[in-house]
Amino acid sequence: MASGAGEWSAEKIDDYETLISTTDVELLKRAWRNEKASPEILPFEEALVKRAKEQIQLMEETVDDFAESGHDPLIASLYQMDLDRAQFLLRSYLRVRLQKIEKFMFHIWKIDTYRNRLSIEEEKFTERCIRDIGKHLEETVLSKLPDNYQSVLKQSIISEEDDMVPEPQLDTFVVAKCERATRPLYLDGSRQSASFDSRQFAILTCL
């Protein structure tokens, strides 16, 4: 009898954790973590960001209503904490993406795969940054150099590639997290498997 109750309790806990892991706040946290762990820019989570903004606006209205109606200050503070957390995640997610755009703007702009991962606002921002930086370098440095060295993208006119354009280091380590039980994983074709506790880990969801 006790064993059945224990199994039921564990099942309910798993259901609750599954529900929590699929809320927009948790999905936004996952997107933020993935973006931070990835050396390259990832596809913009447009639908998720839109829902997060709508929920933040609703939470702001709720906090204001609680403050004006004289409800328990503790409840109001709990709503404010949730609001602060959601705002932090959204801002951090967008900030990480902007940092990558600022660092690799020329590389992102010339490759359609990366360029298509930007939101409309990010695409406008990238285009404006490239135009402003190009104009600034032209006026302050490039115009004073010999003709063969006046390119923003190349060291000299004879360069075959854009060797002045920073690129993300794709050959680097990233972090992976498992959420469900899975079979042993083999790295680089070797037969040495990564050991995972099937009670705690599962399929890869992060990079």
Side-chain angles (χ1 to χ4, degrees), residues 28-40:
L28 186 59
K29 184 188 297 184
R30 182 184 301 176
W32 170 56
R33 287 173 175 171
N34 287 345
E35 198 68 60
K36 288 188 66 177
S38 172
E40 59 188 328

Side-chain angles (χ1 to χ4, degrees), residues 45-63:
E45 298 285 352
E46 183 176 0
L48 177 59
V49 169
K50 181 179 179 180
R51 293 198 307 268
K53 290 181 178 179
E54 293 174 350
Q55 292 180 8
I56 287 175
Q57 183 178 358
L58 180 60
M59 293 168 66
E60 290 175 340
E61 295 174 355
T62 302
V63 171

Side-chain angles (χ1 to χ4, degrees), residues 3-203:
S3 175
E7 292 177 357
W8 182 88
S9 177
E11 181 180 354
K12 291 297 183 182
I13 292 175
D14 291 341
D15 292 342
Y16 175 76
E17 291 179 348
T18 301
L19 176 63
I20 292 299
S21 66
T22 56
T23 61
D24 284 341
V25 172
E26 291 302 317
L27 292 175
L28 186 59
K29 184 188 297 184
R30 182 184 301 176
W32 170 56
R33 287 173 175 171
N34 287 345
E35 198 68 60
K36 288 188 66 177
S38 172
E40 59 188 328
I41 195 163
L42 300 178
F44 181 68
E45 298 285 352
E46 183 176 0
L48 177 59
V49 169
K50 181 179 179 180
R51 293 198 307 268
K53 290 181 178 179
E54 293 174 350
Q55 292 180 8
I56 287 175
Q57 183 178 358
L58 180 60
M59 293 168 66
E60 290 175 340
E61 295 174 355
T62 302
V63 171
D64 292 339
D65 291 342
F66 267 74
E68 294 175 358
S69 58
H71 279 74
D72 188 350
L74 178 59
I75 298 179
S77 65
L78 293 177
Y79 275 104
Q80 184 64 50
M81 288 175 60
D82 283 339
L83 173 60
D84 293 341
R85 181 180 63 158
Q87 289 176 331
F88 170 79
L89 288 174
L90 180 58
R91 291 170 180 170
S92 297
Y93 172 71
L94 298 176
R95 187 179 296 115
V96 170
R97 292 182 61 84
L98 287 178
Q99 290 173 348
K100 289 184 179 180
I101 291 174
E102 291 176 346
K103 187 174 183 179
F104 305 117
M105 64 180 75
F106 292 104
H107 180 69
I108 292 174
W109 195 254
K110 72 176 184 177
I111 299 180
D112 292 339
T113 301
Y114 293 142
R115 186 173 176 178
N116 293 334
R117 295 178 179 181
L118 305 179
S119 66
I120 296 176
E121 292 77 9
E122 289 173 342
E123 190 171 345
K124 293 179 180 178
F125 173 78
T126 305
E127 185 177 12
R128 186 168 62 250
C129 282
I130 291 176
R131 183 178 63 250
D132 293 344
I133 290 181
K135 181 179 179 181
H136 172 72
L137 292 176
E138 175 68 26
E139 294 177 350
T140 58
V141 179
L142 298 179
S143 60
K144 300 176 175 60
L145 296 178
D147 295 340
N148 292 345
Y149 301 96
Q150 291 187 0
S151 173
V152 178
L153 306 179
K154 300 179 179 181
Q155 292 190 28
S156 68
I157 196 174
I158 62 174
S159 299
E160 297 181 356
E161 299 180 355
D162 297 337
D163 47 13
M164 293 287 288
V165 177
E167 299 182 7
Q169 297 295 324
L170 302 182
D171 187 14
T172 185
F173 295 101
V174 293
V175 179
K177 178 183 178 181
C178 296
E179 293 184 343
R180 297 178 185 173
T182 184
R183 296 179 179 179
L185 302 178
Y186 297 97
L187 308 178
D188 296 333
S190 67
R191 301 306 297 174
Q192 294 183 350
S193 63
S195 60
F196 292 105
D197 188 340
S198 61
R199 296 170 298 177
Q200 299 180 3
F201 297 98
I203 46 179

